[in-house]
Amino acid sequence: MSVKVYIDGQEGTTGLKILERFEGRNDIELIRISEEKRKDPAERAKFINMSDYTFLCLPDAASKEAVSFVDNDHVRIIDASTAHRTNPDWAYGFPELSAAHREKIRTSNRVAVPGCYASGFASIVYPLVDHGIIPADYPVFAYATSGYSGAGKKAIAVYEGDEKPYEFNSPRQYALSQQHKHLPEMKAVSGLEYTPMFNPMVCDYFSGMVVSVPIQTRTLPKAVTPADIHAMYAEHYKGANMIEVMPLMPADEQKSFFLASNTLSGLNKMQVFVFGSDEQILLCSRLDNLGKGASGAAVQCLNIMMGIDETTGLI
């Protein structure tokens, strides 16, 4: 028996990737709005209420409007915008964070898909807070490198066009005002009392990202080593289908290792790394900003809500 699925915003980057992930699935009946009506509120409302599951791949204001269209109690919403990620009434779509997160996704009619940077950040910081390695008031700093696909259709066109500006050949730091749209989510989901500092960089490759959090161990309430933190992550993500805690490297191997950001491009996986020494520890999360950081995470949540294998259509 199939379920009816509608994607509101099916022509955007995330919507198109969700469509790709549904190829070959016979448990889903896609209902698709006509091109000329895809921005018509009445037509969108009709399709949302015809569906069993609706994905919102829209700007924040449009996502909030779409939720207001729902007048059928059985419609379950999976929102890929930033509009509802800090709303406690919505499930946060990162099931690996805890059993409680997974259960809320399974039973909720409203699920907010995490942001790409926030996914990498939370994968590192949530366990640190949850296991008492850092206190909730710890001054967290994070930086990240990302492919340009996360910047949207207009930016993709510039990067891939014949008149690409010279500066676009270089990694470009942005959100320098410390007001990146993912910051409220990164703080709330990870259990932090204060907003972290965040330094993202968009780079000249299509997709994939690494989010990194450095830790000076002298600032921690109790002594920990890289091995201690690695063991904590291994236990926290034990049995996770989509998250792999990578082996702890010897110091000599770390010296010659380069951590690329595009390795998981096209995959719905995440890798967690622990580097450094007893004095300075570097924690990194690698993922595809269009996969585990967007469309793949959305489909994983759908699978959990449907009560089927969460990896369906993803691996």
Side-chain angles (χ1 to χ4, degrees):
M1 183 176 177
S2 63
V3 297
K4 291 182 178 180
V5 173
Y6 170 58
I7 302 173
D8 197 0
Q10 62 190 26
E11 300 302 321
T13 305
T14 299
L16 290 170
K17 286 292 182 181
I18 290 173
L19 285 172
E20 285 181 17
R21 295 178 187 277
F22 286 157
E23 290 179 3
R25 289 186 62 165
N26 57 15
D27 58 344
I28 287 172
E29 177 190 345
L30 279 169
I31 53 176
R32 302 188 67 163
I33 196 168
S34 62
E35 176 63 25
E36 64 271 16
K37 293 289 188 76
R38 66 185 179 88
K39 293 187 179 181
D40 182 290
E43 192 74 359
R44 290 168 56 214
K46 183 178 79 172
F47 274 77
I48 289 170
N49 287 293
M50 284 170 52
S51 75
D52 298 302
Y53 297 88
T54 284
F55 289 89
L56 304 180
C57 303
L58 303 163
D60 286 4
S63 284
K64 291 178 180 178
E65 178 188 48
V67 174
S68 73
F69 294 156
V70 177
D71 60 19
N72 189 327
D73 290 342
H74 83 267
V75 178
R76 305 181 77 182
I77 301 292
I78 303 171
D79 185 7
S81 78
T82 66
H84 300 101
R85 291 172 183 165
T86 59
N87 186 331
D89 294 331
W90 285 61
Y92 188 70
F94 197 149
E96 295 90 351
L97 289 185
S98 71
H101 281 85
R102 180 178 295 278
E103 180 62 12
K104 191 169 182 179
I105 294 166
R106 187 185 70 81
T107 59
S108 180
N109 281 347
R110 301 289 181 266
V111 175
V113 180
C116 52
Y117 286 126
S119 294
F121 182 87
S123 72
I124 296 170
V125 178
Y126 178 94
L128 292 177
V129 176
D130 188 53
H131 292 267
I133 291 175
I134 65 172
D137 64 354
Y138 192 79
V140 177
F141 167 71
Y143 60 92
T145 52
S146 175
Y148 59 75
S149 58
K153 281 189 170 182
K154 291 182 180 179
I156 292 171
V158 174
Y159 270 101
E160 297 182 349
D162 295 333
E163 299 181 3
K164 182 175 69 175
Y166 175 74
E167 291 82 2
F168 280 51
N169 295 303
S170 165
R172 295 184 299 141
Q173 300 181 56
Y174 69 105
L176 302 177
S177 65
Q178 292 303 302
Q179 295 180 18
H180 192 279
K181 65 181 181 179
H182 287 183
L183 280 169
E185 174 187 359
M186 292 158 70
K187 172 190 172 186
V189 172
S190 300
L192 297 173
E193 291 181 9
Y194 299 99
T195 302
M197 289 195 70
F198 182 46
N199 180 207
M201 289 165 269
V202 60
C203 307
D204 189 15
Y205 64 94
F206 183 70
S207 70
M209 64 171 39
V210 172
V211 180
S212 302
V213 175
I215 300 289
Q216 301 276 357
T217 59
R218 68 178 183 274
T219 65
L220 299 179
K222 60 183 180 182
V224 294
T225 66
D228 294 331
I229 293 182
H230 184 271
M232 178 275 293
Y233 283 136
E235 180 61 27
H236 190 89
Y237 292 117
K238 185 178 180 180
N241 291 306
M242 306 295 183
I243 300 180
E244 181 180 8
V245 179
M246 304 302 286
L248 193 62
M249 293 183 185
D252 287 346
E253 187 177 346
Q254 289 186 47
K255 287 180 182 179
S256 59
F257 181 72
F258 287 80
L259 184 63
S261 298
N262 61 352
T263 307
L264 298 182
S265 180
L267 302 176
N268 191 60
K269 290 180 60 178
M270 178 181 285
Q271 296 171 329
V272 174
F273 296 84
V274 180
F275 300 112
S277 65
D278 289 355
E279 291 76 35
Q280 297 175 316
I281 300 175
L282 180 63
L283 308 170
C284 301
S285 180
R286 178 162 64 184
L287 64 153
D288 180 5
N289 52 293
L290 297 180
K292 183 61 173 164
S295 63
V299 173
Q300 184 181 358
C301 289
L302 170 71
N303 292 339
I304 292 170
M305 295 165 80
M306 290 175 62
I308 64 175
D309 184 341
E310 68 177 18
T311 67
T312 302
L314 296 174
I315 59 175

